[in-house]
Amino acid sequence: MLNALLDLVLPPACAGCGAKGASCCPRCFEALTAEPARRGPVPWPRGLPDCWSAAPYEGAVRRMIVAYKERGAVALAGVLAEAVTRTVLVAMGQAGEWAGGRFAVVPVPSARRSVRGRGHDPVGRLAVLVAARLRVLGVGAEVWAGLAQARRVADQAGLSRSQRAANLAGSLQVVPAANGPPASRALLLDDIVTTGATLAEAARSLHAAGIAVPLAVTAAATRRRS
């Protein structure tokens, strides 16, 4: 709420570079959208679907995502959703199984305490916007928030690849009370991919419920290596 009020009073500045005039300037928008690519982690964790991201998680892109997630800069949601939508379209063009038909856009769920602390659900918001953009373009996408945390997990910061995998194992589940998915295929959506452990766990949960997961897309990917 405070950030929204400040946006009304103070002149906007680019979250990526600080330039005055908009929450994302043309140069930073170019950095975010110019190179959608397959950017899965190395090594590739077992169970991780084909994984694409809009940009590397560095520089202006990193600053914009941090501002959106942690500082309440929700005005950046549209910019990030546009980048993710373009990435989805490029990735779908590389994969024949996406030709035609409907699919569910499934956001990776955040912990409830994280949502409370941030005051919003950044990935859930992106999923809604991305699905809406895809439908406008004639793609049969529907948001399905069917995943939830099955248990609490430790903070991932500072954990090694194997520690992240162990920390997340069995941590997600399909919500028992949720309405069934709008399609038998799902596109997983998250903000950042690092080791791929979170996306692999989300895919495992969906597979266990009989839902195919050919693709995962994120706004950014770290350059972390083993």
Side-chain angles (χ1 to χ4, degrees):
M1 180 68 71
L2 177 60
N3 283 296
L5 290 174
L6 289 175
D7 285 344
L8 293 174
V9 176
L10 300 175
C14 175
C17 67
K20 301 299 182 183
S23 58
C24 177
C25 72
R27 179 178 296 180
C28 291
F29 182 75
E30 176 75 9
L32 183 61
T33 59
E35 297 184 60
R38 183 179 284 112
R39 290 189 175 91
V42 178
W44 197 276
R46 186 173 68 176
L48 178 66
D50 191 19
C51 186
W52 287 64
S53 67
Y57 185 59
E58 59 191 22
V61 171
R62 180 182 183 279
R63 289 189 288 272
M64 284 189 286
I65 292 175
V66 170
Y68 171 61
K69 283 181 60 177
E70 309 297 346
R71 298 173 188 164
V74 295
L76 291 168
V79 171
L80 293 169
E82 179 63 25
V84 172
T85 301
R86 295 185 185 193
T87 304
V88 171
L89 293 173
V90 173
M92 288 173 59
Q94 299 290 321
E97 67 266 28
W98 287 100
R102 301 171 65 217
F103 62 92
V105 177
V106 181
V108 172
S110 299
R112 291 179 182 176
R113 63 185 183 277
S114 296
V115 173
R116 287 195 301 268
R118 291 168 176 156
H120 73 128
D121 179 3
V123 179
R125 187 190 302 266
L126 282 183
V128 170
L129 294 176
V130 168
R133 280 166 163 74
L134 289 170
R135 288 194 301 273
V136 168
L137 296 171
V139 180
E142 295 289 340
V143 174
W144 186 59
L147 285 177
Q149 289 204 328
R151 59 173 177 80
R152 294 187 67 171
V153 298
D155 189 343
Q156 296 276 81
L159 296 184
S160 68
R161 187 179 299 272
S162 60
Q163 288 170 332
R164 283 179 178 237
N167 184 42
L168 291 166
S171 65
L172 296 177
Q173 65 179 357
V174 172
V175 181
N179 293 328
S184 61
R185 301 176 301 167
L187 180 154
L188 272 175
L189 191 148
D190 207 353
D191 53 354
I192 306 163
V193 58
T194 301
T195 67
T198 301
L199 290 169
E201 169 60 18
R204 179 205 63 77
S205 301
L206 293 170
H207 285 147
I211 304 166
V213 189
L215 180 64
V217 176
T218 68
T222 68
R223 294 186 184 274
R224 176 173 177 163
R225 294 291 183 265
S226 62

